[in-house]
Amino acid sequence: MKNWAANLTYSSARIERPRNLAELTGIVAGEPRVRALGSRHSFCDVADTTGVHVQLDLLDDGMPALEVDQGTGVASVRAGLRYGEVAADLHAKGRALAAMASLPHISVAGAVATGTHGSGDGTRSLAGDVVGVELMTATGEVLTLRRGDADFPGSVVALGTLGIVTRVELATVPAFDVRQDVFTGLPWDALFEHLDAVMGSAYSVSVFTSWYEPDVRMVWCKSRVSAGSTSGETPSADGPAAGLLTGLGAEPAVGPMHPLPDVAAVACTEQGGVPGPWFERLPHFRLDFTPSLGEELQSEYLLPRTAGPDAVRAVRALGDRIGPLLLTSEIRTIAGDDQWLSTTPEDSLAFHFTWKQDWPAVRAALPELEAVLLPLGARPHWGKLFTVPVADLPGLYPRFGDFAELAARLDPTGKFRGGYVAELVAG
């Protein structure tokens, strides 16, 4: 069995898809090595095991797949659901998530476990909006941890080491509409000098480039619109970000765009300033289409926001080296959260790299990229490709010792450790 990008073959002996908690308990209690497996969108072996993989897409825990507390707005969802499914159900109930990742195809538990995120100055990673987790520990017992509990900051971005997460509780907000506008040809000097203004020009902003092009290829701006808007409104070219970006030299796109050059935008969420529900605009891709190409590799590094201008200049200087290996690259912003293993413990800038599927060439280039980003405070994304030695990762997280103690307490035999995570926690 391979991951989504087919660059990794898993080491597990078999995969189980329990249909109820009793079946899951029997697997967890009876196997020496078990790991949860989500939608397989990780590019490294963060979720691997030599034992049994458990996939929760069929699990019925005896509760509704999604239910919302009307008093608090907290949504309790089955961990194996995909974000696109959760979002559509929430919207039907008049609620929304503050942020979504580029892909709605990823599972809730898997995404938050690795610190996956969207973009926006005021929005945290997907883990930042988790307020409770229910998990099955090594003995088969069910444990619930909620915000305010002493161990909670170690329980969400946990890399699957504490147990099999069965439910996740998510903070929600009232449903809202979003318009998506795309701009092309932003001069590099404008991005260098006005990075914060560009990234803050809309509710969610993504900058796409291959780093060696003469101009920044695209800026995608997702702006909240008034509650009275409708998806049938005539689109306009004067969205909230237009004045800033056209003033800096960019131009509105002449039609729908895909993050990858020369790829039709049919799989992308609607652009052109047409208002629509949040869950149909915040992701880059539509749930009913295959996301991106699938034949790619990905890396990502997250840095303190204050290091942003220096980081952009440093990566731009490597453009001739990394550009020919890239399909595209994306710059995003994320607000900080308090998870012990969060890659965004403070307001952050993320540098995402979508590589051609040439691992020897990418592996040779990554140390050069890391050599300029790590001194600026970069942390590699847990679920993507990097060459930072695993033994060096704990030093990037001040609370790593607390996390390791929690993992040892809940899983003393290392049942839930596998892939590079086994070395990480053992070290």
Side-chain angles (χ1 to χ4, degrees), residues 374-397:
L374 263 63
L376 296 174
R379 296 176 172 89
H381 189 293
W382 292 111
K384 299 184 180 178
L385 297 170
F386 54 88
T387 61
V388 180
V390 173
D392 292 349
L393 294 177
L396 303 179
Y397 297 87

Side-chain angles (χ1 to χ4, degrees), residues 20-339:
N20 53 57
L21 289 177
E23 290 183 10
L24 178 60
T25 301
I27 297 167
V28 170
E31 296 290 338
R33 293 287 182 270
V34 185
R35 294 278 278 169
L37 188 65
S39 50
R40 295 183 286 157
H41 276 81
S42 290
F43 292 80
C44 61
D45 64 354
V46 64
D48 205 7
T49 181
T50 56
V52 175
H53 265 130
V54 172
Q55 196 163 350
L56 302 184
D57 56 327
L58 301 181
L59 182 70
D60 182 348
D61 60 358
M63 299 172 61
L66 181 151
E67 57 181 353
V68 178
D69 184 313
Q70 296 301 323
T72 64
V74 170
S76 174
V77 306
R78 290 180 186 164
L81 292 177
R82 296 183 298 171
Y83 263 98
E85 298 162 339
V86 169
D89 199 348
L90 278 177
H91 186 75
K93 292 176 168 58
R95 305 300 296 181
L97 301 171
M100 291 190 71
S102 300
L103 305 178
H105 309 72
I106 54 180
S107 67
V108 174
V112 301
T114 55
T116 299
H117 60 88
S119 186
D121 283 5
T123 56
R124 298 173 294 185
S125 76
L126 301 181
D129 285 337
V130 175
V131 297
V133 292
E134 177 188 278
L135 56 91
M136 186 170 290
T137 65
T139 60
E141 298 178 2
V142 175
L143 173 67
T144 300
L145 294 168
R146 292 192 171 90
R147 183 168 294 282
D149 294 341
D151 293 333
F152 179 78
S155 68
V156 183
V157 184
L159 312 181
T161 61
L162 307 184
I164 307 296
V165 175
T166 52
R167 292 194 79 85
V168 179
E169 296 176 356
L170 304 169
T172 70
V173 298
F176 57 95
D177 282 350
V178 174
R179 61 175 289 163
Q180 184 169 211
D181 299 276
V182 177
F183 300 85
T184 63
L186 179 70
W188 278 105
D189 284 345
L191 186 64
F192 293 153
E193 296 172 16
H194 303 281
L195 178 64
D196 283 345
V198 170
M199 300 308 298
S201 61
Y203 181 77
S204 172
V205 174
S206 292
V207 171
F208 289 98
T209 177
S210 286
W211 295 104
Y212 71 149
E213 299 162 317
D215 296 310
V216 176
R217 185 189 303 151
M218 292 182 291
V219 182
W220 288 28
C221 298
K222 304 168 191 276
S223 306
R224 290 186 62 151
V225 295
S226 64
S229 66
T230 69
S231 58
E233 286 185 4
T234 301
S236 63
D238 58 352
L244 171 71
L245 292 173
T246 57
L248 293 176
E251 297 181 354
V254 296
M257 306 287 287
H258 192 284
L260 305 185
D262 303 319
V263 176
V266 63
C268 297
T269 50
E270 189 163 1
Q271 303 165 22
V274 180
W278 57 279
F279 70 100
E280 294 180 353
R281 298 294 185 275
L282 291 181
H284 296 334
F285 298 100
R286 295 166 54 183
L287 180 63
D288 52 344
F289 278 80
T290 300
S292 195
L293 287 183
E295 299 175 355
E296 62 193 49
L297 304 175
Q298 292 183 9
S299 301
E300 188 171 35
Y301 301 89
L302 300 101
L303 302 92
R305 185 69 181 266
T306 53
D310 290 340
V312 173
R313 288 185 170 88
V315 179
R316 168 65 172 161
L318 291 175
D320 290 341
R321 173 72 175 97
I322 65 174
L325 300 176
L326 285 167
L327 294 172
T328 193
S329 182
E330 182 179 5
I331 304 173
R332 292 179 285 180
T333 58
I334 311 98
D337 64 76
D338 60 357
Q339 281 289 304

